[in-house]
Structure formats: structure tokens, C-alpha cells
Amino acid sequence: MANPSQRLLPSSCVDVHRLAGIAPEVSQFLRLFSGETRLRMLLYLYERERTSGELKKCLNVSQPIVVRILSEFRYTGAVASFRKGRATYYKIVDGRVHDQVALLHHIFSAE
């Protein structure tokens, strides 16, 4: 874990009242990362675009689980799908998701 003294922002720079006012939106966004399978799926999609079959293999979970989570990600606008030939690929299209993955890397990989 990162040292608390190495915070990205000092507490005085965070507008907690504004965040409290948009808590439902923030909560919905953070839900994308809730659970190991969701988080790992976003990490694999952060690396590069993938098919549902590739994600199934990477995650070692059933196809229905992959499809359900991808459907939720698409519904929220975090992920989009596109076709290449006969295959459907998925990629992260919400820049906040990219930022959150980078932040998680900073928090949990810092020495």
C-alpha cells in the first residue's frame, strides 16, 4: 500500500460536499470495480480490447458471467463493443475507468 503521506491531493483540496451531492453517480461508477471478477475484467480490457471468449479464458469463468458483466459495463457506458470480421470486441471507452485503473495501480503498486 502507498504511504499515506504520499497522497495525490491534500484533504483541503477535496470538495467533499460536492462529492456528497453526486454520491449516487459516484457509487454507480465505483460499482464497476466491485468484485474480483469485475475488477479483473476491467484490468484485462485496460490492457487491450478483447472478445468475450478471450475474457472467459483470462478470467476462468463461465460465458454467461462474462456476458452479464459486459452487458452491465455497456449499459453504463464504460465499455463499448465493435465488430472485427465475425468477432465482437470490447474496449473501455470511459476515460474515468482508465484513470481509476491508473489510480489503483498507484495505490496498490507504490513502494
Side-chain angles (χ1 to χ4, degrees):
M1 279 237 189
N3 183 337
S5 66
Q6 297 174 326
R7 292 190 179 118
L8 293 176
L9 292 172
S11 299
S12 61
C13 291
V14 177
D15 184 349
V16 296
H17 297 289
R18 181 181 179 288
L19 283 174
I22 58 170
E25 180 184 341
V26 173
S27 178
Q28 181 70 21
F29 175 75
L30 292 175
R31 187 179 186 289
L32 296 171
F33 297 87
S34 66
E36 181 182 342
T37 302
R38 290 169 173 274
L39 175 59
R40 290 177 57 222
M41 186 179 293
L42 288 172
L43 293 173
Y44 285 121
L45 289 172
Y46 179 85
E47 184 177 50
R48 67 176 173 84
E49 58 200 32
R50 295 180 187 269
T51 66
S52 61
E54 289 174 309
L55 289 168
K56 176 186 177 293
K57 186 175 179 180
C58 290
L59 298 167
N60 195 28
V61 296
S62 69
Q63 188 72 16
I65 290 173
V66 170
V67 169
R68 180 181 54 79
I69 294 172
L70 284 171
S71 175
E72 291 174 23
F73 287 171
R74 288 178 62 213
Y75 178 77
T76 64
V79 169
S81 64
F82 64 96
R83 299 209 39 104
K84 273 190 190 175
R86 295 177 61 186
T88 301
Y89 284 80
Y90 298 87
K91 68 178 180 177
I92 295 172
V93 292
D94 186 337
R96 299 173 305 170
V97 174
H98 277 275
D99 294 345
Q100 183 68 16
V101 170
L103 178 61
L104 290 170
H105 177 267
H106 174 77
I107 292 170
F108 292 98
S109 298
E111 302 214 9

